[in-house]
Amino acid sequence: MMGAFEMLTAGLSSFADPMAILLIVGGCLLGIFFGAIPGLTATMGMAIFLPMTFGMNEVHGITFLVGIYVGACYSGSLPAILVNIPGTPSAIATGFDGYVMAKKGEAGQAIGYATASSALGGLLGVVVLMFAAPILADLALEFSAQEYTGIALLGISIVSYISPGSIIKGFIGGVIGLLLACIGQDVISGYPRFTMGSKDLQAGLQMIPVMVGFFGVSEVLTKLESETHLTPIVAKIKNVIPSPAKLFSMSPMIALSSLIGTFIGAVPAAGGAIASMAAYGIQKRISSKSEEFGTGTPEGIVAAEAANNAAVGGAFVPMLSLGIPGDPQTAILIGALLIHGLSPGPFLFASRPDLISTIYLGNIFSVLTFLVVGLVGAKYFAKLLQVPSYYLLPSILVFCLVGSYALRYTTFDLWVVLVCGLLGYLLQKIDVPAAPIILGFVLGPILEDNFRRSLLMSGGDWTSFITRPISLTLLLINLLIICGPLLRRWVAKAIRR
């Protein structure tokens, strides 16, 4: 098999065709649009434009879809920063500090840090993909239900630390999310739970309406209540391009977050949402400025964005090496490859190294595209904050409803958006944040399905969680995170003595 450098350069000839570059840029711009509008996702954009690739050759079709994927992953941070509504689930953690910076008049700086860290994370993700794909693929191949349970528990254990405010209220939010995830048919037996006889509820709640309701509608209701005078929100657009010295000082954080994102992205079904949450939580735990996270520090934005964009490269690992989708977006890419008569897996590396290289290079070109668009267009994005609230808030509400309705074209999803928005608004009254609710909702099915599957496969033997090395490692990491504050206090007391 070719080395990493040979694999990277094998597809350069594909980009001698101007159409290939045009499709990457066009796909990335479409992705930025789909990621920046709450309710529209990378998955939706790729699914809508997948039929267009039928008439293209495999190189043009795949690079076009890769552009949409990468662009949407980045641009989800824009509405998270500007209006505190993540465009994609992976941008939830970005809003913790990004939106606070925007309220301080530092929207341009927040977008600049998000853009730069997204680009660096995305590039590092591709580098890791090229050099470590075989190792990561072998590791992901060893994952069974016990390991997936450990990954889900990792997300649950850091809920309290990624939540601004009370630890207890963070856990309350996580439990609410887990309960919402239980609505629908039991993942093992198919028995309906909390459906109250409704056929719509038997299918469970969809991620996009729930997320848009808690982050979008509740935010609109809160803003409407707090505004005594409907005046424009003015943002100071300055220092958009981050200081190279500042970015260099954060390079260890970017590297660690990118590695976390790549590793979690390589785990099928984990995705950028868990990657960004995990990176944000871990960086907050180990940072010397941990108390500043959630108060508008660029480090919070950098940790989240580097991880969720690096997760894109990680998601390609199981897809290309094993033919297993790392997330819904790579599942669509597998479908596109199959349409062109190509089967992802080890044989693809041997038979079509040029196509593998084209995917690598397409990812890199897409990253460079959104880097330029993000830095040049930051002042235009931030101008959204200058729109009078009596225009902005109704427009946000319309986008939330339209985006959620477009998911399945059912009015039931509109009711889910409104009910979740009202619930989120009421929970904000008692300072229960929305982010742990969404994280619990995302992790609920993963945790329950794999936990119960673990017990079924082991015949009810609980020791299977500690006899498997990877599962044991994940459990120890969870224990360390949970007991971290106690250990830190114990060490501090010991030093003082």
Side-chain angles (χ1 to χ4, degrees):
M1 190 176 292
M2 290 185 179
F5 180 75
E6 291 81 2
M7 186 66 71
L8 177 64
T9 57
L12 280 174
S13 59
S14 300
F15 296 95
D17 180 5
M19 181 56 68
I21 298 177
L22 182 62
L23 286 170
I24 288 177
V25 174
C28 187
L29 293 176
L30 281 172
I32 290 174
F33 171 78
F34 273 87
I37 303 299
L40 303 183
T41 63
T43 306
M44 184 185 298
M46 294 173 72
I48 289 173
F49 288 99
L50 177 62
M52 285 183 57
T53 66
F54 295 171
M56 304 178 186
N57 62 44
E58 63 273 19
V59 170
H60 289 172
I62 295 300
T63 52
F64 177 63
L65 293 175
V66 168
I68 295 176
Y69 181 16
V70 175
C73 184
Y74 152 69
S75 64
S77 63
L78 300 178
I81 291 170
L82 296 175
V83 289
N84 200 29
I85 304 175
T88 57
S90 60
I92 291 173
T94 306
F96 294 161
D97 290 280
Y99 184 57
V100 177
M101 289 183 67
K103 290 195 295 184
K104 293 178 180 178
E106 300 172 353
Q109 296 177 54
I111 293 176
Y113 279 110
T115 304
S117 57
S118 294
L120 291 172
L123 293 175
L124 284 173
V126 176
V127 171
V128 173
L129 168 63
M130 291 189 299
F131 286 94
I135 299 173
L136 291 175
D138 289 341
L139 185 60
L141 189 61
E142 295 295 325
F143 272 45
S144 186
Q146 287 85 351
E147 285 73 27
Y148 287 118
T149 302
I151 286 287
L153 283 174
L154 179 63
I156 297 295
S157 66
I158 63 174
V159 162
S160 59
Y161 300 114
I162 63 172
S163 307
S166 167
I167 293 177
I168 300 299
K169 290 179 179 178
F171 274 115
I172 291 173
V175 171
I176 292 173
L178 290 173
L179 291 174
L180 291 175
C182 289
I183 296 175
Q185 292 184 334
D186 182 279
V187 293
I188 301 295
S189 67
Y191 188 82
R193 302 179 300 190
F194 307 112
T195 60
M196 296 173 288
S198 169
K199 293 183 179 179
D200 291 313
L201 286 176
Q202 284 187 8
L205 301 179
Q206 299 297 309
M207 174 65 194
I208 296 302
V210 172
M211 185 190 75
V212 169
F214 276 106
F215 279 106
V217 176
S218 64
E219 185 69 26
V220 170
L221 293 176
T222 302
K223 284 285 194 299
L224 286 173
E225 181 186 41
S226 62
E227 295 242 358
T228 54
H229 300 285
L230 296 176
T231 55
I233 305 171
V234 180
K236 298 178 181 178
I237 311 303
K238 59 181 181 179
N239 302 325
V240 174
I241 299 178
S243 163
K246 178 72 171 177
L247 281 176
F248 181 78
S249 68
M250 291 191 287
S251 56
M253 173 181 289
I254 294 173
L256 178 58
S257 295
S258 299
L259 290 174
I260 293 171
T262 304
F263 174 77
I264 294 179
V267 178
I274 297 177
S276 63
M277 290 290 189
Y280 188 94
I282 290 172
Q283 295 288 6
K284 183 175 181 179
R285 294 298 308 139
I286 66 176
S287 174
S288 59
K289 302 177 180 179
S290 59
E291 69 283 353
E292 296 181 9
F293 278 66
T295 63
T297 177
E299 282 80 0
I301 298 175
V302 167
E305 285 300 303
N308 66 36
N309 284 270
V312 173
F316 278 108
V317 173
M319 172 204 155
L320 294 176
S321 301
L322 307 172
I324 300 173
D327 54 19
Q329 293 89 343
T330 48
I332 294 176
L333 287 173
I334 287 178
L337 287 171
L338 293 174
I339 288 170
H340 289 285
L342 299 168
S343 298
F347 292 109
L348 189 62
F349 281 81
S351 62
R352 291 297 304 273
D354 61 312
L355 184 60
I356 300 293
S357 174
T358 299
I359 292 174
Y360 292 165
L361 293 170
N363 200 327
I364 293 172
F365 278 126
S366 299
V367 168
L368 296 177
T369 298
F370 78 62
L371 176 63
V372 173
V373 171
L375 293 179
V376 173
K379 59 183 179 180
Y380 303 107
F381 297 139
K383 282 184 180 296
L384 290 173
L385 292 179
Q386 299 178 8
V387 177
S389 57
Y390 48 79
Y391 292 135
L392 182 61
L393 296 179
S395 299
I396 291 173
L397 184 59
V398 169
F399 277 124
C400 289
L401 294 175
V402 170
S404 299
Y405 180 76
L407 183 68
R408 297 188 301 175
Y409 299 103
T410 171
T411 54
F412 174 74
D413 286 336
L414 295 180
W415 284 111
V416 172
V417 171
L418 295 175
V419 171
C420 289
L422 180 60
L423 179 60
Y425 166 74
L426 295 175
L427 288 173
Q428 284 189 25
K429 296 290 187 181
I430 56 174
D431 297 324
V432 174
I437 299 175
I438 299 301
L439 183 59
F441 184 79
V442 171
L443 292 175
I446 300 173
L447 177 62
E448 181 186 10
D449 185 17
N450 288 287
F451 177 70
R452 294 174 64 183
R453 200 182 301 275
S454 302
L455 295 179
L456 287 173
M457 291 190 304
S458 63
D461 183 8
W462 291 75
T463 62
S464 64
F465 289 98
I466 60 176
T467 54
R468 297 175 64 91
I470 300 176
S471 175
L472 176 61
T473 301
L474 290 169
L475 290 177
L476 290 175
I477 292 174
N478 277 286
L479 185 63
L480 182 62
I481 291 175
I482 293 171
C483 299
L486 295 176
L487 290 174
R488 178 177 291 184
R489 292 192 196 101
W490 182 81
V491 170
K493 289 181 179 178
I495 292 174
R496 283 196 292 268
R497 289 176 185 173

